[in-house]
Amino acid sequence: MKIKNLQLKKINITALFDKIDQSQITSEAIRDLFDLKVPERANTPFIELPGTKVLIIPTLKKEVVIESNRLRVSDASTEDPAKSKVISDFEKAYKAFSGKSTLRAYGYNYDISIQLQEDISYDKLLSSSLKSLVNGGKLLEAGARVAYSKAGRKFDIQIVPSGQEKQLEVHANVHYEAEKIDFTKLAKELLADYKEIEQAINKFAKG
C-alpha cells in the first residue's frame, strides 16, 4: 500500500490521577484558562455529568475534559503538532485543577487519517489463523492493533477502516508511567513520539 497523504486530525494530552477534586472546578474557571473574546466565550458549550465536566471551544477547535481521575486537553486546530498549543493549554489546566491529586501516568493521543493511492488490501493485515475466521466468506474489512514498549514508554497503535474509499484511520497512544511531569520536556516528547508513529505507519503501509 502506498500512502498519498497522512493527516493529523486531533491531538490530546491526558493525565491520570488517583482522583481529582472537582468541587471548585466551574465552567468559568475552565474558560478563564483561554484568551477568549466575548463572542467566543459565549460559544463554549459546557457539559456536566456525574464525575465529568467538559468544555468545548469550537472556534479554537479545543476541548477540556475533567473526569473523576483523568484530565484531557485536546486540539484539532492544526495538522502540524509543532504548531499546536496543546502543551501550554494542558500545563495551564494541569496546574489549575490537579490540586493535591497524585499523578499516576500521562500520555499523548494522536488521531490520524491516511489516504492511500490504491485500494486497501485487507487480507495483508491478517495472519492465516485470522483469515480462517472468514470461514469461506468474502473479507470486507480488517484492522490491526499493536502495543509495544520502547525507551520507557508504551505505544498502542490501532489502524481501522474509515468507511471511505482508500482511507484508514489511526489512533495512537503513547503512555508514560510517572509521578510528576517535567513540562520542559513535553514539546520534545510530543514531537518525538509523533515521528515514531509516522515511521511505524509508513513501515506498515510498505508491508
Side-chain angles (χ1 to χ4, degrees):
M1 295 183 289
K2 294 183 179 180
I3 295 177
K4 181 179 180 180
N5 185 47
L6 187 152
Q7 181 182 13
L8 177 65
K9 306 291 287 187
K10 182 188 288 188
I11 188 171
N12 79 56
I13 306 179
T14 299
L16 181 66
F17 301 92
D18 59 338
K19 61 181 179 179
I20 298 176
D21 180 5
Q22 298 188 20
S23 60
Q24 303 301 314
I25 301 176
T26 65
S27 60
E28 292 306 303
I30 303 174
R31 290 185 181 100
D32 287 343
L33 298 178
F34 300 91
D35 185 18
L36 299 173
K37 298 178 181 179
V38 174
E40 289 178 317
R41 197 177 182 96
N43 183 30
T44 50
F46 181 70
I47 303 167
E48 187 167 7
L49 301 170
T52 302
K53 298 182 179 184
V54 181
L55 183 74
I56 302 169
I57 310 174
T59 57
L60 301 180
K61 296 184 178 181
K62 296 181 180 183
E63 182 179 274
V64 178
V65 179
I66 302 171
E67 299 175 318
S68 59
N69 67 339
R70 193 186 310 267
L71 168 67
R72 182 171 73 247
V73 179
S74 304
D75 179 21
S77 67
T78 177
E79 298 175 18
D80 183 352
K83 295 180 180 179
S84 173
K85 294 183 179 179
V86 69
I87 291 174
S88 60
D89 293 340
F90 171 76
E91 182 175 358
K92 287 185 289 186
Y94 184 98
K95 292 180 177 179
F97 304 131
S98 60
K100 296 181 180 180
S101 301
T102 300
L103 181 70
R104 302 298 192 198
Y106 71 95
Y108 309 97
N109 292 280
Y110 309 85
D111 290 332
I112 300 167
S113 177
I114 305 172
Q115 187 68 46
L116 301 171
Q117 294 182 13
E118 65 238 355
D119 291 333
I120 302 168
S121 301
Y122 289 114
D123 61 321
K124 293 183 178 180
L125 305 183
L126 302 179
S127 64
S128 57
S129 59
L130 284 173
K131 287 179 183 178
S132 69
L133 293 173
V134 180
N135 195 27
K138 180 182 179 181
L139 178 64
L140 300 177
E141 291 183 341
R145 178 182 179 185
V146 61
Y148 62 95
S149 61
K150 184 176 182 179
R153 63 224 201 264
K154 178 183 176 182
F155 288 84
D156 188 332
I157 302 175
Q158 301 177 51
I159 302 175
V160 298
S162 71
Q164 302 296 319
E165 186 179 358
K166 302 178 183 179
Q167 186 172 301
L168 294 169
E169 298 293 334
V170 178
H171 176 72
N173 168 263
V174 188
H175 180 86
Y176 290 77
E177 296 285 345
E179 296 180 353
K180 63 179 181 179
I181 294 178
D182 183 349
F183 290 98
T184 64
K185 293 182 178 180
L186 295 193
K188 183 178 179 179
E189 289 176 351
L190 182 80
L191 297 179
D193 292 344
Y194 183 67
K195 183 177 181 181
E196 169 85 15
I197 292 161
E198 274 191 313
Q199 291 174 344
I201 292 171
N202 282 313
K203 289 180 180 178
F204 163 82
K206 290 177 181 178

